[in-house]
């Protein structure tokens, strides 16, 4: 048996959804750079699920189908209100809420392609509503229904704040959603595929994936990046803070990647947005500090920033609470999880690797009364 720690380099499945080849990321053959610059998030979701870009009519029908399914069961809102809202992390609330959504879906356990498509739309549509409802409830406000005619990106910001966002914010948020939508066999997507490969249901797969995304080595890194930026506080403090962390062999959140070696192609888009948005808010220091951190970490460790690094200052500039950064990742990545769940169902085989046993052998059992 050859063990690959963390399954590094192991090719576990075939997929036609997204690819990372020579550090270039594509969704269904389209370069992420083109999609980030030109596509709406709705178009990207359609592309991931159905394998091709929608025409204008298909785009409109799809967007309407999504916006018709945003309503949340009252019981989930009541559940949110019952939590200790000072201590519950929104990712934990989201994980539980998605699991609960399955309890209110009569088709949750019906496994046929049409029912799966309906569930996909319901799940994708309700994710932004869940995150924004939780956020409002914990600040003592009532959830807001989405506004008809607004995109998913615009509606997210609207449901969060109650105000229609400006064009710059919508464009930036849409781009962030596009950039986070899918990423080959990342940890949370693999988790979703392992789960549904037992022929479990879509809600179980997405719930499991949210649990995997929550960790700081994966999606949870974006919140930690902002925590680090706040701790550093000033541009002058970047050098001593980062040097000390590197000397102590601490991991710098938002840097490094299992697959990319020369750089994460999503980071440059977020870096540009960070520069633009911090100018608008007058908090250029977060962009400048980020650039200085990148210089040090990449210079000394040859570790380029990943998608999480500049997304922190982007979301902060949009006025979003820092512990909502990872739930926003989930609002986008659920599209990729669902695409992979559907692909897994199409050609399923149980995912069951082996472990090399390194424990004791030949132990003699002593009955409990004699122990
Ligand atoms: N800061 C400092 N050193 C690092 C970092 C980092 N961010 N990332 C990797 N290294 C170092 C490790 O200490 C290790 O050094 P060593 O060989 O001297 O012990 C070496 O680089 C290899 O690191 P691993 O953790 O083994 O690399 P792996 O491929 O397992 O991990 C990961 C990739 C988890 C992304 C890692 O780079 C990391 O922890 N980064 C910080 C967390 C983060 O940003 N996660 C988000 C990733 S993107 C995403 O999921 C959306």
């Amino acid at each position: 048996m050859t063990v690959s720690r963390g399954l590094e380099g192991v090719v576990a499945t075939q997929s036609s959804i997204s690819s990372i080849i020579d550090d270039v990321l594509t969704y269904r053959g389209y370069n992420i750079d083109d999609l980030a610059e030109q596509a709406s998030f709705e178009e990207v979701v359609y592309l991931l699920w159905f394998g091709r870009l929608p025409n204008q009519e298909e785009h409109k029908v799809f967007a309407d189908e999504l916006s018709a399914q945003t309503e949340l069961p009252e019981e989930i809102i009541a559940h949110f209100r019952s939590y200790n809202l000072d201590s519950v992390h929104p990712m934990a609330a989201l994980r539980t809420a998605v699991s609960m959504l399955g309890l209110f879906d009569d088709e949750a356990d019906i496994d046929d392609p049409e029912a799966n498509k309906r569930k996909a739309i319901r799940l994708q549509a309700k994710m932004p509503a869940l995150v924004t409802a939780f956020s409002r409830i914990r600040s003592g406000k009532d959830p807001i229904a989405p506004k008809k005619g607004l995109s998913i990106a615009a509606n997210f910001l609207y449901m969060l704040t109650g105000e229609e966002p400006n064009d710059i914010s919508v464009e930036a948020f849409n781009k962030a959603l596009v950039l986070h939508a899918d990423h080959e066999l990342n940890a949370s997507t693999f988790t979703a595929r392992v789960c549904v490969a037992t022929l479990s249901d879509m809600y179980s797969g997405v719930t499991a994936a949210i649990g995997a995304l929550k960790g700081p080595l994966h999606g949870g890194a974006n919140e930690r990046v902002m925590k680090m930026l706040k701790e550093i506080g000033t541009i002058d403090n970047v050098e001593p803070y980062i040097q000390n962390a590197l000397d102590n062999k601490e991991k710098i959140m938002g840097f490094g990647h299992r697959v990319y070696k020369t750089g994460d192609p999503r980071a440059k888009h977020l870096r540009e947005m960070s520069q633009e948005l911090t100018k608008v808010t007058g908090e250029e220091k977060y962009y400048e500090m980020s650039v200085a951190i990148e210089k040090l970490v990449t210079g000394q460790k040859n570790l380029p920033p990943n998608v999480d690094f500049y997304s922190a200052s982007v979301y902060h500039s949009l006025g979003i609470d820092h512990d909502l950064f990872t739930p926003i990742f989930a609002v986008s990545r659920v599209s990729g999880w669902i695409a992979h769940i559907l692909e897994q169902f199409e050609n399923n085989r149980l995912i069951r690797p082996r472990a090399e046993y390194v424990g004791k052998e030949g132990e003699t059992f002593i009955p409990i009364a004699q122990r």
Side-chain angles (χ1 to χ4, degrees):
M1 273 185 183
T2 313
V3 177
S4 172
R5 284 193 72 226
L7 299 183
E8 180 164 5
V10 172
V11 179
T13 191
Q14 291 186 318
S15 175
S16 59
I17 301 168
S18 61
S19 71
I20 306 168
I21 299 170
D22 296 334
D23 287 4
V24 173
L25 172 63
T26 65
Y27 297 167
R28 301 280 189 189
Y30 293 94
N31 192 306
I32 188 70
D33 293 340
D34 294 329
L35 296 169
E37 293 302 335
Q38 300 174 65
S40 70
F41 179 58
E42 287 83 342
E43 274 177 278
V44 166
V45 178
Y46 190 102
L47 173 68
L48 292 173
W49 293 359
F50 306 118
R52 62 178 179 81
L53 287 167
N55 63 29
Q56 289 178 41
E57 178 58 22
E58 288 165 334
H59 182 254
K60 190 187 171 313
V61 170
F62 187 57
D64 288 348
E65 281 179 330
L66 285 166
S67 79
Q69 294 295 335
T70 50
E71 203 176 327
L72 300 176
E74 259 312 307
E75 290 86 345
I76 293 186
I77 301 291
H79 211 262
F80 282 163
R81 292 194 203 279
S82 75
Y83 300 159
N84 178 355
L85 291 164
D86 293 332
S87 66
V88 168
H89 194 282
M91 271 303 267
L94 183 66
R95 184 194 58 219
T96 301
V98 166
S99 182
M100 281 183 80
L101 279 179
L103 306 179
F104 295 94
D105 188 334
D106 293 340
E107 295 192 301
D109 283 313
I110 296 179
D111 175 24
D112 75 60
E114 282 310 306
N116 280 334
K117 186 188 152 199
R118 287 191 291 274
K119 280 181 273 184
I121 287 175
R122 288 197 278 269
L123 254 169
Q124 181 70 60
K126 290 183 198 319
M127 289 283 281
L130 286 172
V131 174
T132 53
F134 180 77
S135 166
R136 289 185 68 83
I137 287 168
R138 73 173 176 175
S139 15
K141 301 178 195 141
D142 286 327
I144 300 181
K147 203 169 224 180
K148 248 190 147 14
L150 292 189
S151 64
I152 292 179
N155 248 326
F156 183 92
L157 297 172
Y158 169 72
M159 289 191 284
L160 197 63
T161 61
E163 286 166 26
E164 261 198 58
N166 61 38
D167 290 347
I168 296 178
S169 302
V170 175
E171 195 189 318
F173 198 68
N174 179 76
K175 210 182 264 193
L177 293 180
V178 168
L179 290 167
H180 286 82
D182 195 46
H183 206 224
E184 205 224 43
L185 216 53
N186 61 88
S188 55
T189 300
F190 185 56
T191 303
R193 288 189 80 128
V194 169
C195 178
V196 302
T198 66
L199 296 184
S200 187
D201 66 295
M202 190 181 288
Y203 288 97
S204 299
V206 172
T207 304
I210 294 172
L213 187 73
K214 183 170 177 281
L217 296 190
H218 189 14
N222 55 13
E223 180 185 343
R224 304 287 179 107
V225 171
M226 200 62 225
K227 185 168 176 275
M228 172 175 73
L229 290 173
K230 296 286 277 184
E231 274 170 14
I232 295 175
T234 62
I235 190 92
D236 291 343
N237 199 27
V238 167
E239 215 270 333
Y241 182 101
I242 296 294
Q243 199 55 58
N244 182 49
L246 290 176
D247 292 347
N248 287 322
K249 298 214 166 302
E250 285 169 25
K251 282 203 163 168
I252 313 295
M253 291 292 124
F255 286 87
H257 201 275
R258 176 63 68 74
V259 181
Y260 296 120
K261 294 304 165 211
T262 59
D264 182 331
R266 302 166 295 181
K268 61 180 177 292
H269 296 282
L270 290 150
R271 187 192 295 117
E272 266 173 34
M273 283 193 266
S274 168
Q275 183 174 24
E276 194 182 337
L277 291 170
T278 52
K279 245 184 228 153
V280 174
T281 58
E283 286 190 304
E284 288 100 331
K285 73 167 187 178
Y286 286 123
Y287 172 72
E288 286 158 11
M289 281 161 59
S290 302
V291 171
I293 296 169
E294 179 181 348
K295 222 172 173 181
L296 278 169
V297 178
T298 309
Q300 287 191 34
K301 299 278 291 186
N302 196 23
L303 288 167
N306 58 50
V307 71
D308 285 319
F309 187 61
Y310 284 96
S311 66
S313 47
V314 166
Y315 296 145
H316 172 79
S317 304
L318 293 172
I320 295 170
D321 288 348
H322 302 166
D323 59 1
L324 296 182
F325 293 0
T326 315
I328 288 170
F329 197 151
V331 164
S332 167
R333 184 57 60 84
V334 70
S335 61
W337 293 332
I338 289 171
H340 281 266
I341 287 171
L342 297 176
E343 186 176 66
Q344 186 66 38
F345 282 148
E346 269 168 28
N347 185 20
N348 188 56
R349 189 159 193 233
L350 179 77
I351 300 170
R352 202 297 189 193
R354 294 294 313 276
E356 180 189 5
Y357 180 67
V358 293
K360 294 179 185 171
E361 289 182 45
E363 291 285 284
T364 304
F365 182 80
I366 300 165
I368 195 161
Q370 292 158 37
R371 265 181 264 149

